[in-house]
């Protein structure tokens, strides 16, 4: 049997809506096969992974805690990707924001006023923006590939964090454990319930609403889309490509930095060698699964957060590896990208390719 891809005359709106649904269905089927291969009952394993984390109040709060940084970072990355700027270093900007915002409670532990928390948040945003400004400057000034430069800065930020918590920022009363001192009450984000859910969740909701208006109702949103889809037309319209590079990277870096300091201040309350399970990388999946739309990112953020919770539940209940979470996240991204092909192409079965008639053809 021969499968062919035939180019559609125009984008399929129906497949644009169905593609994420098909991708999730294929992910569940593949996950069931994966669990069966590991000797687990597929239905029981999928229940533990995707349903069980939603049955208790504390786990629902944990879902919000894990979705918050994904949504914040995903919204910033959506602006980058829409404007054709490939920022892959949100994980580093997340870490830089956490480091910058944590300077106050670690270096000045006696500074406990009403201004402590606002200053920490502003420093966190500034830290993320400063880290994102590096690949933006290199791209504008020297034409470097922002994928490589932003990605390499991730590892620099992580090594910087590791060095600080094992060296100059290590808690003097921490019995040599590699961690900073605990933040004071004035440096902790207020909780929203009796669990770990904190005010950072409100930041995510506000970001989604504001960015939705900016992208759909303002000239800046139009500029972002035009420069991303038709750069030449954007230049004729008077839009600056370099200014858009700066805008997209600084916005994404600021939101990643806000996510970083919110995570440290609201959930961990100190710096440790590892402060993220990979939020910056997972947010790339969140952005694409949400169709680079802030509302879509809001829901996809919760879905990917569920994979973190489900992975932890599967480790405890089924004894599977923690790498299962990454496998599911990878499957989601793979199937989303694969199914997106159906937006521009339709599948033909059992026909030979006829170049020049009925559009472009390709065999798979």
């Amino acid at each position: 049997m021969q499968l062919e891809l035939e180019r559609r005359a125009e984008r399929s709106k129906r497949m644009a809506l169905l593609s994420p649904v098909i991708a999730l269905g294929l992910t569940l089927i593949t996950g069931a096969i994966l669990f069966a291969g590991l000797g687990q009952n597929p239905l029981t394993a999928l229940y533990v992974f995707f349903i069980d984390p939603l049955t208790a109040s504390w786990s629902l709060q944990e879902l919000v805690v894990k979705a918050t940084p994904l949504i914040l970072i995903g919204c910033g990355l959506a602006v980058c990707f829409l404007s054709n700027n490939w920022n892959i270093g949100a994980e580093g900007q997340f870490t830089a924001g956490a480091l910058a915002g944590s300077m106050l409670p670690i270096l000045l532990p006696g500074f406990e006023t009403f201004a402590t928390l606002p200053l920490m948040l502003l420093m966190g945003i500034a830290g993320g923006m400063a880290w994102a400004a590096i690949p933006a400057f290199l791209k504008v000034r020297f034409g470097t590939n922002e994928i490589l430069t932003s990605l390499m800065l991730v590892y620099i930020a992580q090594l910087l964090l590791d060095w600080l918590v094992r060296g100059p920022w290590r808690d003097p009363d921490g019995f040599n454990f590699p961690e900073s001192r605990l933040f004071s009450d004035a440096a902790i984000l207020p909780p929203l319930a009796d669990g770990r859910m904190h005010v950072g969740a409100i930041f995510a909701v506000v970001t989604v609403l504001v960015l939705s208006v900016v992208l759909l109702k303002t000239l800046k949103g139009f500029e972002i889309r035009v420069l991303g889809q038709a750069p030449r037309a954007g230049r004729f319209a008077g839009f600056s490509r370099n200014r858009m590079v700066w805008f997209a990277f600084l916005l994404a870096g600021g939101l990643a930095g806000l996510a970083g300091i919110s995570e440290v201040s609201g959930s961990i309350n100190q710096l440790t060698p590892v402060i993220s399970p990979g939020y910056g990388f997972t947010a790339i999946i969140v952005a694409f699964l949400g169709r680079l739309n802030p509302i879509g990112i809001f829901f996809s953020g919760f879905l990917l957060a569920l994979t973190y919770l489900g992975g932890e539940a599967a480790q405890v209940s089924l004894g599977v590896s923690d790498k299962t979470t990454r496998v599911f996240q990878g499957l989601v991204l793979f199937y989303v990208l694969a199914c997106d092909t159906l937006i521009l192409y339709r599948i033909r079965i059992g026909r030979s390719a006829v170049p020049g008639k009925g559009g472009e053809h390709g065999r798979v």
Side-chain angles (χ1 to χ4, degrees), residues 113-189:
T113 71
F114 68 91
T116 302
L117 200 51
L119 284 175
M120 286 175 58
L121 295 175
L122 291 175
M123 292 171 67
I125 294 171
M129 294 174 72
W131 211 252
I134 298 173
F137 170 76
L138 293 175
K139 180 176 182 179
V140 171
R141 182 67 178 82
F142 301 108
T144 55
N145 186 316
E146 72 272 26
I147 296 176
L148 295 177
T149 52
S150 60
L151 182 60
M152 286 190 289
L153 284 168
V154 171
Y155 304 104
I156 295 174
Q158 291 175 338
L159 290 173
L160 179 62
L161 167 66
D162 188 81
W163 173 70
L164 285 172
V165 297
R166 294 178 191 277
W169 286 10
R170 184 167 55 186
D171 184 2
D173 301 321
F175 305 100
N176 279 332
F177 283 100
E179 58 190 23
S180 73
R181 67 173 74 246
L182 286 169
F183 293 178
S184 64
D185 291 342
I188 295 176
L189 281 176

Side-chain angles (χ1 to χ4, degrees), residues 77-143:
L77 290 181
V79 173
C80 279
F81 298 155
L82 282 171
S83 61
N84 206 21
N85 290 293
W86 299 98
N87 177 11
I88 310 298
E91 183 78 4
Q93 294 144 28
F94 175 94
T95 304
L99 288 174
S102 300
M103 291 176 67
L104 270 184
I106 293 176
L107 301 180
L108 299 172
F111 182 69
E112 299 182 33
T113 71
F114 68 91
T116 302
L117 200 51
L119 284 175
M120 286 175 58
L121 295 175
L122 291 175
M123 292 171 67
I125 294 171
M129 294 174 72
W131 211 252
I134 298 173
F137 170 76
L138 293 175
K139 180 176 182 179
V140 171
R141 182 67 178 82
F142 301 108

